[in-house]
């Protein structure tokens, strides 16, 4: 039996660390809602690129973030391997979020305070529904610091780039390991050193290195943690 008081699970970690897969599988197993907050920052980035808004223009990008409607739906049996569907102002942009152009610009967009405030507001509203697994960079530190279970999932950058290259190829794209490694390292650098809500584990987060472990193994380990007798806050 899962401990009753755990209704919010915060998962953070660097690019392609396996956190989204672990979060999704964990949510399925627990029958919790799942929110991958990265797709919200990606959606703004996609919309800025699409509308010809300069991603270096903080005011324009912030304005866009405030006005844009982002809807995230569970997958409904689409045959293209998606795990969820993202709409921006009613348009399905699920696969547009995973392009090299979005990868290249998303860390700049997500460094803006106004953009973060708007997204955090929406993410907290989602968290208030309870029974939620939320994944990102600042979930344990900023969005849901009250979450009783916080996980920080890492892996070596070589392994993360290998996984991301494999994912992109499986999605039918040409993907170069060296380019992806450079992108992953560049985003980690920006995400970790930005002024607002930098990527870092919460003081009470449990650190998990996924380098040599499958997502299923990690989910099983987390599930065991949830079944352990209550000690202190956990
Ligand atoms: O899947 P991957 O780890 O490559 O990235 P993601 O989780 O989709 O996040 C894309 C980008 O959004 C990150 O590199 C961060 O710049 C930003 N992000 C953020 O700032 N805060 C979050 N809670 C989630 C993502």
């Amino acid at each position: 039996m899962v401990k009753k008081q755990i209704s919010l699970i915060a998962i953070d970690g660097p690019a392609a660390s396996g956190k989204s897969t672990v979060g999704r599988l964990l949510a399925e197993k627990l029958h919790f809602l799942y929110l991958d907050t990265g797709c919200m920052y990606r959606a703004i980035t996609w919309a800025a690129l699409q509308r010809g808004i300069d991603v270096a223009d903080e005011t324009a990008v912030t304005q866009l973030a405030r006005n844009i409607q982002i809807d995230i739906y569970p997958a409904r049996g689409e045959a293209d391997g998606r795990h969820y569907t993202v709409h921006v102002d009613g348009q399905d942009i699920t696969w547009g979020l995973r392009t090299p152009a979005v990868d290249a610009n998303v860390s700049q967009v997500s460094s803006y305070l106004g953009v973060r405030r708007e997204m955090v507001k929406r993410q907290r509203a989602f968290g208030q529904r309870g029974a939620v697994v939320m994944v990102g960079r600042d979930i344990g530190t900023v969005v849901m610091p009250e979450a009783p279970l916080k996980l920080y999932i890492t892996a070596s950058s070589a392994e993360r780039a290998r996984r991301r290259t494999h994912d992109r190829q499986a999605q039918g794209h040409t993907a170069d390991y060296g380019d992806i490694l450079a992108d992953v390292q560049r985003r980690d650098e920006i995400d970790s050193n930005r002024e607002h809500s930098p990527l870092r584990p919460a003081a009470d987060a449990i650190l998990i290195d996924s380098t040599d472990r499958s997502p299923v193994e990690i989910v099983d380990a987390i599930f065991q943690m949830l079944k352990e007798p209550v000690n202190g806050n956990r």
Side-chain angles (χ1 to χ4, degrees):
M1 236 210 29
V2 171
K3 288 185 295 177
K4 270 206 196 78
Q5 73 273 38
I6 304 269
S7 71
L8 296 176
I9 301 178
I11 307 183
D12 292 299
S17 60
K19 59 190 185 306
S20 306
T21 308
V22 166
R24 185 170 48 77
L25 295 177
L26 189 63
E28 268 170 25
K29 196 160 170 147
L30 295 170
H31 304 290
F32 276 23
L33 296 169
Y34 171 64
L35 180 62
D36 173 7
T37 60
C39 78
M40 300 172 75
Y41 295 97
R42 286 177 179 272
I44 301 166
T45 308
W46 178 90
L49 296 173
Q50 197 71 14
R51 296 173 195 186
I53 295 170
D54 180 0
V55 294
D57 183 343
E58 181 167 355
T59 309
V61 174
T62 303
Q63 180 83 8
L64 174 68
R66 290 194 184 125
N67 294 331
I68 199 173
Q69 187 181 332
I70 305 172
D71 295 302
I72 305 164
Y73 305 103
R76 295 193 181 101
E78 292 85 351
D80 58 4
R82 69 180 60 197
H83 297 300
Y84 51 77
T85 294
V86 182
H87 284 188
V88 158
D89 295 335
Q91 183 185 354
D92 183 348
I93 59 149
T94 309
W95 289 117
L97 301 181
R98 307 284 154 194
T99 57
V102 171
D103 284 342
N105 290 287
V106 63
S107 285
Q108 176 157 17
V109 165
S110 64
S111 70
Y112 299 144
L113 181 60
V115 170
R116 302 205 69 79
R117 282 199 174 136
E118 180 61 34
M119 293 305 112
V120 168
K121 194 167 73 184
R122 298 182 193 192
Q123 291 156 12
R124 285 192 179 140
F126 188 90
Q128 276 169 3
R129 300 188 200 177
V132 164
V133 177
M134 206 180 290
V135 174
R137 301 289 187 289
D138 58 343
I139 310 305
T141 51
V142 175
V143 180
M144 306 198 308
E146 74 283 14
L149 181 64
K150 297 175 192 149
L151 306 167
Y152 189 87
I153 302 184
T154 58
S156 68
S157 52
E159 173 62 12
R160 293 187 284 123
R162 194 193 61 73
R163 290 178 190 163
R164 185 52 50 94
T165 308
H166 178 269
D167 290 349
R168 292 285 196 260
Q169 286 170 347
Q171 289 157 8
H173 300 293
T174 47
D176 177 73
Y177 171 83
D179 291 347
I180 290 185
L181 178 63
D183 171 70
V184 157
Q185 289 174 330
R186 189 187 52 81
R187 279 199 291 133
D188 286 355
E189 171 77 17
I190 302 176
D191 294 348
S192 305
N193 294 306
R194 69 186 175 208
E195 187 184 351
H196 311 294
S197 314
L199 167 68
R200 68 165 70 109
D204 54 348
I206 297 170
L207 306 188
I208 298 175
D209 186 336
S210 76
T211 307
D212 298 313
R213 299 171 77 190
S214 73
V216 170
E217 259 177 84
I218 296 173
V219 169
D220 286 345
I222 299 168
F223 206 67
Q224 285 310 313
M225 277 177 213
L226 289 168
K227 290 201 296 193
E228 280 162 15
V230 184
N231 278 321
N233 285 334
R234 272 201 292 268

